[in-house]
Amino acid sequence: MRRVGIFGWGVVAPRSPNIEAFAKNLASSETWLTPFNGFGPDNFLVGNPTFNLADYKPWIDARFPGSRFSQLERKMGQPTQYAIGAFIQSLSQNPGIEKELQDLGARAHVYVGTGLGDLPTIQNISLDLYRAQRRWDRFWASPEHNSAVRAWRETREALPGMPPEPSTIEEVERDKAEDDWWHFWAGRSPELREYLEELREIEAMGVPDEGDVESAKLAVIKEKRTRNARLQKKWSSPEPPWNAVSSNVLWNIHNTPASQVSMLGQITGMTFAPVAACSSFGYGLKLAMNAIRLGEAKAVVLGMTDAAPNPLVVGGFYNARVISADAAVSKPLTALRGTHIAGGAVVWVVGDYEHFTQKGYKALGLEPVAVGVTADADHIITPSKEGPTLAIREALASAGCEPKDVGSWDLHATATPGDFLEVQNLRDVLPDSVLITARKGTFGHGMSAGGGWELTAQYLGAEQGKVYPTPLAAPELNKQIAKVHKHFVFDHEEPAPEGCSGKLSMGVGGINACIISRPWK
């Protein structure tokens, strides 16, 4: 079986714009969480990534026309920009690896996924559409631009499907009532139908079948623009709502980070976005290792990325009763008050160990040996006992690692009641000697990137023969959890135990990934 190594890595995380800052910050037991205030003043803490795309402008300008950076800045959302930054960082640990990835052709893959997608971009464009639709409907529903409304006002007879008049609705529901009322009457406006008929004639213009196609196409686009402007002036109407929808909604779908990494790195092999919620990095690592061991790839650029916390995510998770909202850090394994949402990215260059070391490249951290993946097939957010336990057993068996051989373990541990079950499940498999870490009190729950941050922290510490501290103080350990296991990493570093290291992630939807790694021999 081909051995697999990590030959590059990059991180965008709270307080950590790059892998160097990430490693430096891990040496401290302080939390990286900060106030959210995305609803105005609020009581949420989040992991807000530190990032500036301009840091990577020299690298991009050295390889592409000057317009490329501004295009990325204008059109790409946070997840894609974070992934680009982390990818560029990942090329720096082994100089020359950028060209190697290009020379591998179809044998270099790109798997860069996401947990939630680019929700900020979707939210902003959705709000633009909502406001434009509201202006549009209000205009065409007004008596000045709708003869059907003027005629109805003479009789005020109920019409099929007519919503109640907004003035009859309580104020708390008034906005929705206005939307329904205006939309109903806009759909019955003879004047709007006349407008649309004129617009149809403009949009029906096609490219002539004689002459140069490209120049003819540009001429048609220009003429349509001119006629559309005249149409708007004639009716004095607002911009149609379809004009309010930015094309950025298409440029920021789930596979965009992977595609942009492929384009910027000039990597021509299989490129796509694996999505497995909070277990995404583990699932991606399994796919990367499989591809290399099957001989389908020599290298895989593996990454996960999610946007900075925004109100949609924070509000959604709050109403799912899984995040803390008391303006204090909720540490795993303590009072179990809930987690903290975080955003950012992590990218690894995963490679065929023999291929890359023969070329003089150095493997980083630990050796990833096996990944066990399972599904609870039970509950969307509450972990089961059987699913995660099976993932652990599957990973250990695939790695040829006995429970007694495991020295350290990193939990998923979201500071929810599931922490107790997770520790209990682990002890059903592993001995009481295993040294356990839980890091979401440090940088929060990074959604798809979180598992990658935790693995990177594990690997960085192993390079230096230590386990980085966590914010957890010994007296804070939950008493019920302490009855199950006592050997945790608290607010000071520990020597790295001998043996294998494990990492468990459990994703929304009940999907689990367990990674077993070992020191390089």
Side-chain angles (χ1 to χ4, degrees), residues 47 72 136 140 153 172 203 242 255 381 392 400 474 481 493 517:
L72 294 170
W136 180 255
W140 292 109
R153 283 186 164 187
V172 70
E203 295 295 342
W242 49 87
N255 75 303
I381 203 162
I392 295 169
I481 292 175
E493 69 177 51
S517 311

Side-chain angles (χ1 to χ4, degrees), residues 75 121-122 125-126 245-253 256:
K75 294 183 177 296
T121 294
I122 294 170
I125 294 174
S126 297
V245 181
S246 168
S247 59
N248 287 358
V249 77
L250 299 179
W251 313 145
N252 289 283
I253 56 178
T256 299

Side-chain angles (χ1 to χ4, degrees), residues 106-144:
R107 292 293 175 265
H109 296 183
V110 178
Y111 308 162
V112 181
T114 178
L116 298 169
D118 193 352
L119 289 181
T121 294
I122 294 170
Q123 176 183 331
N124 291 336
I125 294 174
S126 297
L127 287 172
D128 289 342
L129 171 59
Y130 169 74
R131 294 174 187 126
Q133 185 73 55
R134 187 173 164 88
R135 289 191 297 268
W136 180 255
D137 287 344
R138 181 171 56 200
F139 178 87
W140 292 109
S142 68
E144 296 86 353

Side-chain angles (χ1 to χ4, degrees), residues 51-68:
F51 181 78
N52 187 351
L53 185 64
D55 292 344
Y56 304 95
K57 188 175 187 297
W59 188 95
I60 295 168
D61 287 348
R63 292 160 177 79
F64 297 94
S67 60
R68 187 59 175 271

